[in-house]
Amino acid sequence: MKFFVPAAKDDVKAEQVYGAIAKSVQAPITEKRIWKLRWRDNGTDIECEVGKPLPSSYQTGKELVLAIFDCENYYKICTLTRGGVKGEPILVGKNFQSLAIYFSNNVNN
């Protein structure tokens, strides 16, 4: 899957939006961008994907995941109201029960 940010009309705009969200939630910008994230929470397997809504248990309605950032000890998942434009991102701890799947292209390709 090629890197994108939902609703960004082109690659340049996608980079601008991604950078603005990263700055807002104090996340690093790296060449490798996360497309999907899988983790286990209280015995339940959960998956989120850029461009799709989070599971209903996160109460974000139909808001799409805009970006997922790899931070030191956790991942930050951003939707419009959870780190995208306002609010705090959803935090998922990094451990043996989490798996990040990356977009297939590097940003410099």
Side-chain angles (χ1 to χ4, degrees):
M1 175 64 69
K2 182 180 181 293
F3 172 72
F4 73 98
V5 174
K9 64 182 178 180
D10 57 36
D11 292 348
V12 171
K13 190 64 174 173
E15 286 298 323
Q16 291 172 342
V17 172
Y18 187 83
I21 295 171
K23 183 177 180 181
S24 173
V25 300
Q26 300 177 341
I29 298 175
T30 61
E31 286 189 22
K32 291 176 68 175
R33 309 285 170 83
I34 298 174
W35 172 40
K36 291 183 182 184
L37 184 63
R38 295 179 181 143
W39 70 97
R40 182 171 276 261
D41 185 21
N42 293 322
T44 302
D45 291 329
I46 302 173
E47 178 177 288
C48 72
E49 179 178 327
V50 171
K52 293 189 176 177
L54 281 166
S56 60
S57 59
Y58 285 89
Q59 300 178 345
T60 56
K62 296 194 182 290
E63 288 183 17
L64 303 180
V65 173
L66 302 175
I68 305 168
F69 297 98
D70 186 344
C71 299
E72 286 187 38
N73 297 315
Y74 48 86
Y75 298 99
K76 292 183 178 181
I77 302 169
C78 299
T79 67
L80 190 62
T81 62
R82 295 294 305 264
V85 174
K86 61 182 180 178
E88 295 297 319
I90 294 163
L91 303 179
V92 173
K94 287 173 96 171
N95 58 38
F96 65 93
Q97 293 182 329
S98 60
L99 172 68
I101 301 166
Y102 295 87
F103 285 100
S104 60
N105 63 318
N106 287 334
V107 294
N108 293 327
N109 287 350

